Amino acid sequence: MPPVALCGHLHQPIAGMRRAAFLPSIAALALAAVPCVAEDADPLQAPGIARMARLPVAGLQAVETRDGELLFLSDNGRYVLRGGALDLWHGARLTSFDQVQRLAGRIDLARLKLDVKELGAIDLGEGPEVVVFVDPFCPHCAELYGDIKPLAGTYRFRLVPTPVLGEPSQRAVLALACLSSSDAAQARAALLDGHAGALPTPADGCGAGIAQRGLVAAQILGVQGTPFLIAPDGRMRPGRPGDLAAWLAGDGEGAR
């Protein structure tokens, strides 16, 4: 798989790559140790791990055992959760590993009643909505704009400026938030042409509330870098797709 074309981060992952490599071993040890619980507990045999998947929440993995049971395991292997779980964002009871994987990679913005206009979204095009979190100084975002423009007749791209590259990005996002409330066309041109950093500093806190809402929403949705895309059907993707049209259609690179 090619490297993900992603800029910056909103927050550091809890665990690094080296720790991630040990997770299957930790999980296996944890499940093997479960029969040693208290005598009055319901013992869980350790049939072994068939599949694991990280959930979009800190510290929790989904595990499918070789006999098909769905479990949830803490990153350190200390806690194993059995029985049903609910995905409140989708209003669904989780009953299978495949279902967990499918829903973990999607978000229903309409169900969450999240209007990205309130996050300072800068719109381009008409059609089914594609939400994209972008940083004004992210080179991968700039490349993505070139992919977006030919598709503006098919989709409505809602670009949410999100500062992941430090203080210059924070100043540019604030300036865009202020400008977009009074001149959406000029704000769009500044973002797409790479001139957001040259915008004047807003006075009297203009745009601060919009920028703050955008940042909080990005953190809640698990955005760790830009670009971060949400397709019309709710599929999420960090990084620029190799073929944006194919990904949006559910085909080709990144459609899984």
Side-chain angles (χ1 to χ4, degrees):
M1 179 179 294
V4 176
L6 199 66
C7 296
H9 55 79
L10 280 181
H11 48 80
Q12 292 285 356
I14 292 178
M17 291 297 293
R18 287 182 295 178
R19 179 177 174 181
F22 287 113
L23 282 173
S25 298
I26 293 174
L29 288 172
L31 293 182
V34 171
C36 300
V37 297
E39 291 182 1
D40 59 349
D42 179 21
L44 170 68
Q45 299 303 316
I49 298 168
R51 294 184 289 176
M52 293 182 65
R54 179 171 293 281
L55 299 176
V57 61
L60 199 62
Q61 304 264 343
V63 175
E64 182 182 55
T65 65
R66 291 199 180 102
D67 63 2
E69 183 176 10
L70 175 64
L71 305 172
F72 297 94
L73 179 72
S74 64
D75 272 354
N76 63 2
R78 180 172 180 177
Y79 297 103
V80 176
L81 309 179
R82 303 180 70 184
L86 298 175
D87 182 338
L88 297 180
W89 285 13
H90 287 96
R93 181 176 296 276
L94 303 177
T95 58
S96 73
F97 186 87
D98 288 337
Q99 179 200 26
V100 170
Q101 276 197 311
R102 180 174 59 83
L103 294 182
R106 294 173 183 262
I107 187 70
D108 187 344
L109 296 179
R111 180 179 174 83
L112 293 179
K113 296 180 172 58
L114 180 60
D115 183 359
V116 295
K117 181 179 180 180
E118 298 181 355
L119 311 181
I122 295 173
D123 294 343
L124 175 65
E126 293 294 335
E129 293 190 357
V130 182
V131 176
V132 189
F133 290 84
V134 298
D135 185 290
F137 294 104
C138 170
H140 299 305
C141 298
E143 293 172 351
L144 181 63
Y145 302 152
D147 303 333
I148 284 174
K149 291 175 182 177
L151 299 176
T154 307
Y155 297 96
R156 182 187 187 192
F157 293 91
R158 314 205 70 185
L159 310 176
V160 181
T162 307
V164 301
L165 294 175
E167 290 188 10
S169 293
Q170 294 173 9
R171 291 193 294 269
V173 167
L174 186 62
L176 285 169
C178 180
L179 180 60
S180 64
S181 63
S182 60
D183 193 333
Q186 187 177 351
R188 180 170 57 247
L191 177 64
L192 297 181
D193 296 341
H195 300 150
L199 294 175
T201 301
D204 301 324
C206 178
I210 293 174
Q212 184 62 32
R213 286 195 294 273
L215 183 60
V216 171
Q219 292 173 331
I220 291 173
L221 294 177
V223 178
Q224 295 188 8
T226 59
F228 185 93
L229 298 85
I230 304 176
D233 63 1
R235 283 177 296 117
M236 299 183 292
R237 179 191 170 94
R240 177 193 175 209
D243 186 333
L244 178 60
W247 182 77
L248 289 172
D251 303 319
E253 179 188 343
R256 296 179 297 275

